[in-house]
Amino acid sequence: GESVGLHLPTLSVQEGDNSIINCAYSNSASDYFIWYKQESGKGPQFIIDIRSNMDKRQGQRVTVLLNKTVKHLSLQIAATQPGDSAVYFCADTGRRALTFGSGTRLQVQP
Amino acid sequence: DAMVIQNPRYQVTQFGKPVTLSCSQTLNHNVMYWYQQKSSQAPKLLFHYYDKDFNNEADTPDNFQSRRPNTSFCFLDIRSPGLGDTAMYLCATSRADTQYFGPGTRLTVL
């Protein structure tokens, strides 16, 4: 069936390094993607989104890259900080509701 | 600030004792969603309202019901909670594609 999935369950980086979190999707009809950050005990927080007519979008310290050829999405976080420690989900809104990937836990080491 | 509010933040109930979780929003969004999120898993959609139009996911147990008396409020009723219903319950709203989440209600069934 259609799915949105993540490659790595846990990513550990040093403070100040750049982080890259990857996501694969299978629905070629997907046209809108969102990255959410979820801290422990809190609801998902919107980080950045991208539509399928784009291949890159930048925010503050974050960049999302979309490769439609291989159905791959990535979130890049520049100069990772301790406050970036959280679980990151990609989500697909090919239909009205979100389909979430399984999540990647980002651990920032001091 | 416009936001999605969930009450209570923590709820403990006994096996089989009905429980109601509430969600309110000041965003005036026409779509509201309920998700269930178990430990270390991605949020799973239970149902959503598009205005007053109720949309149930095929695999949502009959034990879970929802009410939306007006645009601002939406309730999740669990008629006979089981131990497996222990989870975080997330409410979200949207007008277009992007969903905004509340902080969640952590439900524990004893």
Side-chain angles (χ1 to χ4, degrees):
Chain A
E2 306 294 358
S3 67
V4 179
L6 295 176
H7 292 307
L8 297 173
T10 303
L11 176 65
S12 185
V13 300
Q14 294 291 319
E15 181 178 356
D17 287 352
N18 297 334
S19 303
I20 300 176
I21 301 172
N22 296 304
C23 178
Y25 65 96
S26 59
N27 183 2
S28 57
S30 299
D31 59 3
Y32 182 60
F33 303 88
I34 305 174
W35 280 100
Y36 285 94
K37 171 186 180 183
Q38 187 174 26
E39 297 175 272
S40 181
K42 297 182 179 180
Q45 176 188 359
F46 174 90
I47 301 174
I48 193 168
D49 59 0
I50 189 168
R51 296 202 175 273
S52 59
N53 61 351
M54 304 170 69
D55 54 19
K56 181 179 181 179
R57 192 166 188 214
Q58 288 185 290
Q60 186 178 14
R61 282 202 306 120
V62 295
T63 301
V64 55
L65 299 178
L66 175 62
N67 186 330
K68 295 180 287 293
T69 302
V70 296
K71 297 178 189 171
H72 184 267
L73 194 69
S74 69
L75 176 69
Q76 301 178 2
I77 304 173
T80 311
Q81 302 170 359
D84 295 328
S85 293
V87 176
Y88 290 81
F89 293 99
C90 64
D92 159 42
T93 60
R95 58 189 182 105
R96 183 167 300 281
L98 292 171
T99 300
F100 282 88
S102 57
T104 293
R105 182 175 301 279
L106 177 64
Q107 297 177 335
V108 182
Q109 307 297 330
Chain B
D1 289 343
M3 58 192 340
V4 182
I5 303 163
Q6 291 189 244
N7 285 301
R9 293 294 312 279
Y10 301 91
Q11 176 75 57
V12 179
T13 191
Q14 292 181 333
F15 180 93
K17 184 175 181 180
V19 66
T20 294
L21 310 182
S22 75
C23 177
S24 64
Q25 54 132 341
T26 60
L27 297 159
N28 202 32
H29 286 169
N30 57 335
V31 191
M32 294 187 76
Y33 309 79
W34 279 105
Y35 289 85
Q36 179 193 64
Q37 186 178 27
K38 295 189 176 181
S39 181
S40 299
Q41 296 183 19
K44 178 181 178 298
L45 181 66
L46 295 173
F47 24 60
H48 72 277
Y49 276 94
Y50 185 85
D51 293 320
K52 293 186 177 182
D53 182 23
F54 178 70
N55 299 271
N56 197 36
E57 292 299 297
D59 57 355
T60 298
D62 293 339
N63 201 24
F64 291 82
Q65 304 286 320
S66 186
R67 297 170 283 135
R68 188 179 186 187
N70 54 53
T71 301
S72 300
F73 285 87
C74 195
F75 299 98
L76 170 61
D77 301 308
I78 308 177
R79 293 188 298 184
S80 183
L83 300 179
D85 296 329
T86 291
M88 173 81 89
Y89 290 86
L90 295 163
C91 175
T93 72
S94 74
R95 181 182 296 281
D97 293 320
T98 305
Q99 293 186 20
Y100 297 91
F101 285 82
T105 294
R106 183 169 295 281
L107 175 68
T108 302
V109 183
L110 301 176

